[in-house]
Amino acid sequence: MLEDIDRVLLTEEEIKERVAELGAEISRDYAGKDLVLICILKGALHFMADLSRHISIPVDMDFMAISSYGASTKSSGEVRILQDLDAPIANRHVLIVEDIVDSGLTLKYLVDNLSSRRPASLKIATLLDKPARRVVPITTDYNGFQIPDEFVVGYGLDYAEKYRNLPFIGILKPEVYK
Ligand code: PRP
Ligand code: 7HP
């Protein structure tokens, strides 16, 4: 697995530090509010697990599975809900927890879909932002790192379902997917 990585972009330590900062910020901003964290599976699994443990206020957690990439490094543009939320979100403060914003198509779809369920508020926390690839405008509220236009894997992010279990974020060698 390591032989497929060109270089480490974000170390385990750098991720840990930034996720702790985001958790503290979210805890301050939502103090006294009824907050639901929505983890977008599968990529956000590690970010959700670590971020939620740095949030010091009570939260509910729910999960949605979405797919648009398949075994490709480009979004198909067609976003599909593979698994919906367990519970309604009407009148609740909702924070979407994502691993990466790339084209923005997934989040655009999610924001439209979740807004129609009438939450009290809807915000976005993403670990990574790749602004060079944006196709639709998306404003994130909590952003871990801006990254260059490279295909990255690890810490939940995959290529063809592999590499999610790497503890760091690395740039995948182009020959793996070309
Ligand atoms: C990835 C990632 C984001 C989305 C971002 O999901 O987890 O949800 O792509 O890309 P976009 O901004 O171009 O829409 P993917 O469809 O690969 O599913 P996964 O999380 O299960 O890997
Ligand atoms: C989706 C995605 N998944 C893994 N690595 C990337 O760089 C990605 N961009 N969008």
Side-chain angles (χ1 to χ4, degrees), residues 43 68-69 72-75 99-104 106 128 130 133 147-154 156-160 164 169-170 172:
S68 61
Y69 275 69
S72 166
T73 59
K74 290 214 176 78
S75 170
D99 53 346
I100 186 164
V101 196
D102 187 303
S103 68
T106 304
L128 307 177
K130 210 195 274 186
R133 301 256 308 176
I147 62 163
D149 185 7
E150 305 271 10
F151 198 81
V152 293
V153 293
L157 289 111
D158 74 312
Y159 171 65
R164 293 194 201 274
I169 289 173
L172 191 62

Side-chain angles (χ1 to χ4, degrees), residues 55-116:
I55 296 179
S56 56
I57 59 168
V59 293
D60 282 11
M61 298 185 200
D62 210 337
F63 300 85
M64 234 173 143
I66 299 284
S67 188
S68 61
Y69 275 69
S72 166
T73 59
K74 290 214 176 78
S75 170
S76 64
E78 185 197 328
V79 182
R80 286 186 305 138
I81 296 184
L82 305 178
Q83 180 195 316
D84 207 343
L85 298 176
D86 280 346
I89 52 167
N91 304 316
R92 309 195 68 188
H93 293 280
V94 171
L95 183 60
I96 299 173
V97 179
E98 253 294 21
D99 53 346
I100 186 164
V101 196
D102 187 303
S103 68
L105 291 167
T106 304
L107 273 170
K108 164 85 175 73
Y109 175 88
L110 276 171
V111 166
D112 290 348
N113 183 293
L114 296 177
S115 300
S116 72

